[in-house]
Amino acid sequence: MPQPNGNLYTLLASHFPADGSKVAIQTPEKNYSYDDIDALSAQYANALASLNLPAGSRIAVQVEKSPEALMLYLASLRAGLVYLPLNTAYRDAEVEYFVTDAEPAVLVCDPTRETGMHALAQKTGGARVFTLDSQGAGSLTDAAQAQDPTFDTHASQADDLAAILYTSGTTGRSKGAMLSHGNLSSNALVLHDYWGWSDQDVLLHMLPIFHVHGLFVASHAALLAGASMIWLPKLDIAQALHYLPQSTVMMGVPTYYVRLLDDPGFTRDVCRNMRLFISGSAPLLSDTFSAFEARTGHRILERYGMSETIMLTSNPYHQADGQRIAGTVGPALPGVDLRITNDKDEPLGTGEIGDVQVRGPNVFSGYWRMPEKTREEFTGDGWFRTGDMGSLGGNGLSDNVVTIVGRNKDLIISGGYNVYPKEIELVLDEQPGVLESAVIGVPHPDFGEAVVAVVVPLEGAQPDTEQLRETLRTDLANFKVPKEIRLISALPRNTMGKVQKNVLRQDWSAGS
Ligand code: MLC
Ligand code: AMP
């Protein structure tokens, strides 16, 4: 019997509406129908296929958000390539690491970075370089336009790689989480049902598309429902207020909801057609949840996930399944096993705080070319260690409700972007006049947490902290650059010599 094609695109396309002229993507300038999506993704797939790359070749993409950028992602799936999205804020030195590690056969970049990308390609093994700009134009689109608008989607197995998502690591070295067609498909199907998607939905899509949240959770859900997306290049509150009355679903990191609430124009009336606001990628403050409900009558649905696993838990959608509770991330999604353990991987009881471990068809297979790291992050019996701390039940909650209380990884989440202090400390420590440094996250009204640093100067040195921040911008994405740097005479350490970041955080808040 022939095996059904396990390619994620085949699954998505099998749910496209019968009426192919239905709008799939609406931008302020132009609409794209479902027929357009199929034809355009076929043209980009044909352009990629004409390069005769072996299946499983990587395609690294660092481009501004546009409908064509989404077509490129779909084309990569269709051509059997492995998609490697990169944050547009990454500087050349950061991109060099990913390219050296993943050895992509194709690099797609903004035209403004083409020269640097060619140089990088030459240095790292000769990837083909194409451009794609914020309007969807560039050498890749030129190549695609000459192609046939039909394409026979590559026959994939469920465990064939579809994407590699780099997540920073505690050692400062990023790891590529390998996600398969099966991982992505299973999660998309679960979220489709759990969040009640239908072809009547209109998703207000303002998230970046180089992370799990905007690229997978949001786009897959809308395409699988045959719904429409209002596709904006980034969060812009004026645009959001303009388009919300036509929308039924919105997804955002908590900063999106904080900024909406900051605008008096964000009213109950603006949300009149909305059925669902979803928040994730960082903790949503209870204050934001309550203020949002008071203003709009909507309870934001908070969910929890990560690059390695896509979505893991969600507050209920249907009232019959329970209330959405502020400060919790809801039960594990159908098909996901979640447990809380002590440091010996033994399950803990109701309400006890421990390590969050998960299993399920959505969980990645490992880190790209890091078998050791992969082994460390999985228990012997196949549970993935998320690095988050949490509890199940307790405090009057049902036993299956998960609360995330912190992280046992030294991670800062700023406006939904992950920042590992080690990466910044390594760069800071190399600067003239710097003996050592420590990077911490402190509460921030807009970003939830902000990255800040303390620096111990070399004896007799007095580094200029603003100059240090400017220098860091050369090699680090802007969102990683500490918002403030303070000088300090010595780092507080415990008896083991470990820097006491909790003390630094307290001292920072106290202003010292
Ligand atoms: C931008 N800046 C940030 C920042 N974003 N600083 C700290 N944290 C951030 N997140 C800085 C820029 O460097 C710049 O600084 C200044 O703010 C203005 O830049 P901007 O581009 O105009 O910012 P803005 O458009 O306002 O962006 C803020 C934001 C954006 C919150 C809208 O960061 C965003 O869309 N975040 C979403 C991230 C996301 O999708 N995460 C999902 C990860 S997936 P300067 O100094 O240069 O002026 C995941 C799994 C899961 O975690 O569970 O979903
Ligand atoms: P990333 O590695 O970028 O995929 O980020 C994943 C991390 O974001 C998780 O391990 C959590 O620490 C955090 N995260 C995601 N969603 C939530 C949430 N709803 N509440 C708290 N933390 C979250």
Side-chain angles (χ1 to χ4, degrees):
M1 220 172 67
Q3 288 287 312
N5 189 350
N7 192 298
L8 168 64
Y9 183 82
T10 305
L11 171 73
L12 297 173
S14 69
H15 287 68
F16 285 179
D19 176 7
S21 67
K22 178 175 176 182
V23 173
I25 297 180
Q26 176 189 346
T27 73
E29 296 83 30
K30 195 174 165 192
N31 289 346
Y32 297 72
S33 68
Y34 271 93
D35 280 347
D36 292 336
I37 291 210
D38 200 55
L40 285 168
S41 64
Q43 287 184 308
Y44 284 101
N46 276 314
L48 295 174
S50 72
L51 303 174
N52 290 318
L53 306 171
S57 299
R58 275 78 58 209
I59 168 167
V61 177
Q62 188 188 34
V63 298
E64 296 297 334
K65 183 177 173 186
S66 67
E68 288 73 15
L70 184 67
M71 299 310 126
L72 174 57
Y73 162 60
L74 298 175
S76 168
L77 295 174
R78 297 187 75 172
L81 303 180
V82 178
Y83 195 71
L84 198 166
L86 294 172
N87 193 324
T88 45
Y90 290 150
R91 316 296 300 157
D92 289 350
E94 294 167 301
V95 175
E96 179 166 347
Y97 171 82
F98 301 121
V99 170
T100 308
D101 193 53
E103 297 183 310
V106 178
L107 285 169
V108 186
C109 66
D110 193 83
T112 54
R113 296 184 76 160
E114 189 181 5
T115 312
M117 223 42 109
H118 271 295
L120 179 57
Q122 278 198 334
K123 193 170 154 188
T124 55
R128 298 285 301 267
V129 177
F130 292 92
T131 59
L132 187 64
D133 70 14
S134 58
Q135 303 306 307
S139 61
L140 187 69
T141 301
D142 293 344
Q145 273 166 352
Q147 301 287 337
D148 195 295
T150 61
F151 186 82
D152 210 1
T153 295
H154 178 81
S156 303
Q157 305 291 321
D159 56 4
D160 285 346
L161 275 195
I164 298 180
L165 263 72
Y166 273 87
T167 74
S168 313
T170 39
T171 56
R173 210 177 144 215
S174 284
K175 306 161 288 182
M178 299 190 289
L179 291 164
S180 67
H181 286 265
N183 295 145
L184 297 170
S185 301
S186 67
N187 210 242
L189 285 166
V190 166
L191 296 177
H192 173 78
D193 286 347
Y194 202 77
W195 291 341
W197 282 89
S198 85
D199 60 2
Q200 298 302 301
D201 275 317
V202 179
L203 170 70
L204 182 54
H205 195 306
M206 301 182 286
L207 284 159
I209 54 166
F210 37 69
H211 283 306
V212 158
H213 198 160
L215 184 62
F216 300 152
V217 184
S219 308
H220 293 170
L223 294 174
L224 200 54
S228 300
M229 290 188 261
I230 297 174
W231 192 259
L232 301 181
K234 59 187 285 204
L235 175 66
D236 173 325
I237 294 299
Q239 294 259 47
L241 295 180
H242 176 75
Y243 285 108
L244 270 168
Q246 305 168 36
S247 310
T248 63
V249 183
M250 181 190 136
M251 294 189 197
V253 304
T255 302
Y256 285 41
Y257 296 108
V258 169
R259 290 192 186 175
L260 277 173
L261 284 168
D262 274 348
D263 195 307
F266 180 60
T267 60
R268 194 176 278 251
D269 183 52
V270 163
C271 307
R272 59 188 174 271
N273 286 317
M274 289 294 295
R275 69 171 180 89
L276 184 57
F277 290 94
I278 300 175
S279 175
S281 309
L284 180 74
L285 294 181
S286 295
D287 282 354
T288 311
F289 179 94
S290 309
F292 201 90
E293 185 174 14
R295 178 89 66 94
T296 66
H298 283 274
R299 290 183 154 226
I300 299 174
L301 180 153
E302 185 171 8
R303 61 34 169 204
Y304 157 65
M306 57 195 304
S307 302
E308 289 90 337
T309 64
I310 332 168
M311 293 302 99
L312 290 165
T313 75
S314 169
N315 269 282
Y317 173 62
H318 295 289
Q319 277 229 329
D321 295 331
Q323 288 289 337
R324 297 176 200 159
I325 304 167
T328 76
V329 293
L333 285 162
V336 175
D337 292 332
L338 184 147
R339 68 181 191 181
I340 306 294
T341 69
N342 61 18
D343 54 11
K344 297 189 186 72
D345 298 329
E346 294 159 347
L348 295 175
T350 303
E352 289 187 276
I353 293 172
D355 297 334
V356 179
Q357 298 189 349
V358 294
R359 253 183 355 194
N362 52 313
V363 176
F364 78 138
S365 53
Y367 294 109
W368 172 256
R369 292 181 180 162
M370 287 191 179
E372 270 305 306
K373 195 76 203 153
T374 302
R375 259 193 298 281
E376 278 170 28
E377 301 299 342
F378 282 89
T379 65
D381 50 351
W383 292 84
F384 172 60
R385 308 176 202 278
T386 62
D388 292 309
M389 310 280 300
S391 57
L392 270 165
N395 285 330
L397 297 168
S398 299
D399 282 357
N400 61 351
V401 171
V402 180
T403 307
I404 302 295
V405 298
R407 304 162 201 138
N408 62 14
K409 45 192 177 188
D410 191 11
L411 164 70
I412 302 165
I413 305 185
S414 171
Y417 288 143
N418 288 8
V419 180
Y420 274 89
K422 190 76 192 167
E423 186 185 353
I424 299 155
E425 289 161 4
L426 288 172
V427 183
L428 262 177
D429 291 353
E430 280 174 9
Q431 303 308 316
V434 174
L435 175 65
E436 57 177 350
S437 63
V439 169
I440 53 172
V442 294
H444 189 276
D446 185 34
F447 294 129
E449 278 184 294
V451 176
V452 297
V454 291
V455 160
V456 181
L458 280 168
E459 209 178 317
Q462 188 71 14
D464 177 335
T465 53
E466 274 314 298
Q467 187 54 50
L468 275 179
R469 291 183 65 240
E470 277 312 306
T471 309
L472 292 192
R473 284 177 190 278
T474 318
D475 288 336
L476 292 174
N478 283 350
F479 65 88
K480 297 181 192 169
V481 175
K483 301 285 181 214
E484 187 184 341
I485 299 178
R486 291 183 190 164
L487 300 181
I488 186 174
S489 56
L491 295 177
R493 293 184 189 274
N494 65 15
T495 46
M496 311 285 286
K498 197 168 179 284
V499 176
Q500 292 171 301
K501 294 210 166 172
N502 52 339
V503 173
L504 285 173
R505 276 190 287 268
Q506 276 163 16
D507 289 353
W508 188 280
S509 306
S512 56

